[in-house]
Amino acid sequence: MAWSGDLDKIWPTFILGTTGAAMGMETTIFFTFWGLFPLVRNDVHITGENWMQKMMSMMNRGGTEHLGLSKMNFAGMGPAMMKKLAEEHKVASPNELLEVARDLGVHLVPCQMTMDLLGLTKDDLIDGLEEPAGATTALLEAQDAVTLFI
Amino acid sequence: MSATIARTLDLRGLSCPLPIAKTAQAIRDLPAGELIEVLATDPGSVPDFAAWCTTTGHELVERTEGGGVYRFVIRKTR
């Protein structure tokens, strides 16, 4: 369950999702609220239909390359340093992990309600996602499963 | 069952979870019964490969270590 768009929350979400699939577990990530923004294509800047949604997307640009840290963000300097450190230590970037996750068959489910609320269309989102779904689908997937809320 | 190594994966320098994820990707194309050799430098890969083999059912045939490199030989079981 990815409900946060913070870099430091999406990163472990992708790490655990990828690992789960690598372990042969049926793995689904449900992206909701701010957690949906990392699935926005990196080349899409402004999303939304009305001024409120557009304004929100300007202040909270989507895409794996534009995520901020939940603490020590320092107007983007924190994430830049974090990415530099990750590169030095050969820690896979969220983007790379997303590629591996898709290849290993992790189901990436965007929340339909969030898409409606924030004015995101399928064209705004990256390829390889499942059909947008709702809370019922998320909870059905979660039945008899380990669920992490990150 | 073959005793020769069918494939070697050089994952030296990579951090968690890539050694496991890349091994999972590579093992898909391998016929059951074949051996895959994995080289890694991430110390976390030692417990992780053991755990991964326990969960997936693949057999950890050999684990050696030298010069900061961990070598795993895994038999694909299914």
Side-chain angles (χ1 to χ4, degrees):
Chain A
M1 191 75 72
W3 63 274
S4 164
D6 292 332
L7 177 63
D8 46 334
K9 300 210 175 75
I10 278 299
W11 217 324
T13 306
F14 286 171
I15 289 173
L16 291 167
T18 306
T19 306
M23 287 169 79
M25 295 162 79
E26 189 72 26
T27 310
T28 301
I29 308 177
F30 187 73
F31 295 85
T32 186
F33 282 87
W34 301 125
L36 187 57
F37 277 84
L39 295 186
V40 171
R41 294 154 48 112
N42 280 310
D43 57 350
V44 170
H45 198 157
I46 297 170
T47 55
E49 279 150 18
N50 58 47
W51 69 269
M52 279 188 290
Q53 293 169 336
K54 283 187 177 137
M55 190 82 117
M56 233 178 301
S57 76
M58 279 165 75
M59 291 185 293
N60 181 57
R61 183 168 178 185
T64 47
E65 285 162 20
H66 310 114
L67 308 176
L69 287 168
S70 63
K71 60 189 273 190
M72 301 201 289
N73 194 45
F74 301 134
M77 265 170 63
M81 282 192 273
M82 190 64 94
K83 279 172 197 168
K84 182 102 185 62
L85 284 172
E87 233 165 73
E88 276 167 20
H89 293 271
K90 295 229 173 97
V91 173
S93 67
N95 222 14
E96 192 179 351
L97 288 169
L98 194 54
E99 286 304 315
V100 180
R102 279 190 287 194
D103 182 59
L104 287 172
V106 176
H107 304 290
L108 307 169
V109 185
C111 167
Q112 178 69 62
M113 181 274 280
T114 307
M115 287 175 70
D116 297 342
L117 181 73
L118 300 173
L120 293 168
T121 66
K122 276 193 200 176
D123 292 337
D124 295 327
L125 303 179
I126 57 166
D127 297 328
L129 304 180
E130 305 291 327
E131 282 300 302
T136 312
T137 307
L139 289 179
L140 186 67
E141 294 279 339
Q143 260 184 350
D144 307 317
V146 178
T147 303
L148 303 173
F149 206 81
I150 306 173
Chain B
M1 277 207 263
S2 143
T4 52
I5 285 159
R7 192 164 171 203
T8 297
L9 270 186
D10 185 356
L11 306 176
R12 286 176 290 180
L14 297 183
S15 292
C16 172
L18 285 187
I20 291 290
K22 294 218 177 264
T23 304
Q25 283 178 312
I27 213 163
R28 290 186 300 200
D29 308 326
L30 213 66
E34 294 286 339
L35 295 175
I36 188 167
E37 177 187 44
V38 181
L39 303 175
T41 47
D42 171 22
S45 63
V46 176
D48 279 359
F49 270 97
W52 184 71
C53 285
T54 308
T55 331
T56 55
H58 299 308
E59 186 194 346
L60 185 56
V61 179
E62 207 183 314
R63 182 175 78 76
T64 50
E65 186 184 333
V69 178
Y70 306 97
R71 178 176 167 271
F72 306 91
V73 178
I74 297 160
R75 187 187 305 282
K76 182 174 177 172
T77 49
R78 55 185 170 79

